[in-house]
Amino acid sequence: MRYDVKDLKLAKKGALRIEWARNNMPVLGLVAARFKKEKPLTGLSIAACLHVTTETAVLMEVLKAGGASVAVCASNPLSTQDDVAASLVSHLKIPVFAIKGEDTRTYYRHLVSALAVGPNITMDDGADLVSTIHQDPAKYFRKPILGGTEETTTGVIRLRALANQGKLKYPIIAVNDALTKHMFDNRYGTGQSTIDGIVRATNKLIAGSNFVVCGYGWCGRGLAMRAQGMGANVIVTEVDPLRGLEAVMDGYRVMTIKEASKIGDIFVTVTGDLNVIRKEHFSVMKNGAIVCNSGHFNAEIEIPGLEKLKKSKKIIRDYVEEYTLRNGRKIYLLGEGRLINLAAAEGHPASVMDMSFCNQALGVEYMKQHYKEMDRNVYKVPDPIDNEIARLKLTSMGVTIDTLTAEQKRYLSSWEMGT
Ligand code: NAI
């Protein structure tokens, strides 16, 4: 079996941390138990490009329990947990191609290695597998690919662009668009873990800081909420008037990035956009400003612009680069501008990934059953699956909700009854 991980000796520690995650993923555990009996994924070969974390390892166990074979590569050069990668190879005999801190060339080589298994299903977080396949279709379509899944907002945007141009070659299930994914994972998962990443990297006090959140989408809402809860003065920047208005009414200060740049202490981008914080913004920032990103690609902070302004730079702590600018001020860039929650912390807590990865596992099962009826398009996770995941999650938390009475059902489906 081919693989490329940092050190297999880390496997034991990885296995224990995976066990911890598994204990916190009860709904995925139910799927695993059913998959073990029914083997609904038999015959599938899955190439998965995901953050190689403990939660991903639990998902891989579930896919294997369902009868699939899997190969894994990282969806970000800095997000791999090397002990998890080692355990996947040693204990689960899964080919893994991922090393924390790998350079860009190795990152893309690893994508190609995972695709070398000849998958009939791709599982992406950011659409890098689909993008690689579509750039060289002759190479990758020797065997038919039935379909794929996509985990994150940025990947879904890329895939919709491909589908809109009529170039997408197989159907994709957009896991991110499930309500049990983005309402919880993007909001509460990114909210908490991004703060965790910033605090682990810097050990800075959040209370009393001017905390600038660029982008008030699902991730931005969660991040702003958590930063405010820790006593920060939260400032939001947006380009969408509705989202800007929502942020105002949620009680935050909303202004342009140009204005925010002058007063912010900590800046976090979560937009999925390009060059949100640029050279002209760095040049007016306060001495000691901290800048980081939790959006998918390291494209949201214009690092070349910061480089142009610098007199010198040094790594002052793990994941903290100190840029001394020609104006004498110091700016701190965290995690090379890559997802700070995965670079400096451990990513989302398992209990929220429980729902996201249930969508992945059930999405793959659905794809296997329905790919023949699906067009080359991007699909939502079917509502019944989404609802069932929410129901099971509530049950696992010991929470019971009410059910509609027959009278209420009649009332809610009628137009005749006003009072
Ligand atoms: P979203 O689409 O809900 O929100 C993005 C927001 O950014 C939108 O409201 C948009 O108007 C705003 N925006 C776009 N350009 C902007 C600009 N120049 N200035 C200010 N605001 C701007 O997307 P979501 O789900 O919040 O995801 C955001 C990013 O985070 C994506 O790249 C996604 O893939 C990534 N993500 C990262 C996770 C992590 O673990 N760090 C987890 C989930 C998503």
Side-chain angles (χ1 to χ4, degrees), residues 51 152-155 157 176 181-182 185-186 190 193-194 214-221 237-240 243 270-274 276 294-297 300 339 341-342 348:
H51 300 301
T152 198
T153 316
T154 284
I157 290 170
N176 184 72
K181 200 281 184 179
H182 64 258
D185 167 319
N186 300 29
T190 313
S193 62
T194 300
C214 302
Y216 200 64
W218 288 104
C219 296
R221 290 178 183 114
T237 74
E238 250 300 340
V239 291
D240 178 325
R243 297 267 168 101
V270 266
T271 68
D273 198 359
L274 180 73
V276 176
S294 212
H296 188 76
F297 284 117
E300 306 205 16
L339 305 144
N341 62 331
L342 282 140
H348 296 173

Side-chain angles (χ1 to χ4, degrees), residues 11-42:
K12 199 170 160 203
K13 182 178 170 213
L16 289 169
R17 292 203 316 111
I18 294 167
E19 182 183 336
W20 175 261
R22 196 186 305 112
N23 292 342
N24 287 287
M25 302 177 91
V27 184
L28 198 54
L30 293 175
V31 176
R34 178 169 69 77
F35 275 17
K36 222 176 190 167
K37 267 197 253 144
E38 297 175 7
K39 301 278 175 202
L41 309 187
T42 302

Side-chain angles (χ1 to χ4, degrees), residues 335-351:
E336 301 168 16
R338 300 188 190 279
L339 305 144
I340 191 61
N341 62 331
L342 282 140
E346 295 172 63
H348 296 173
S351 61

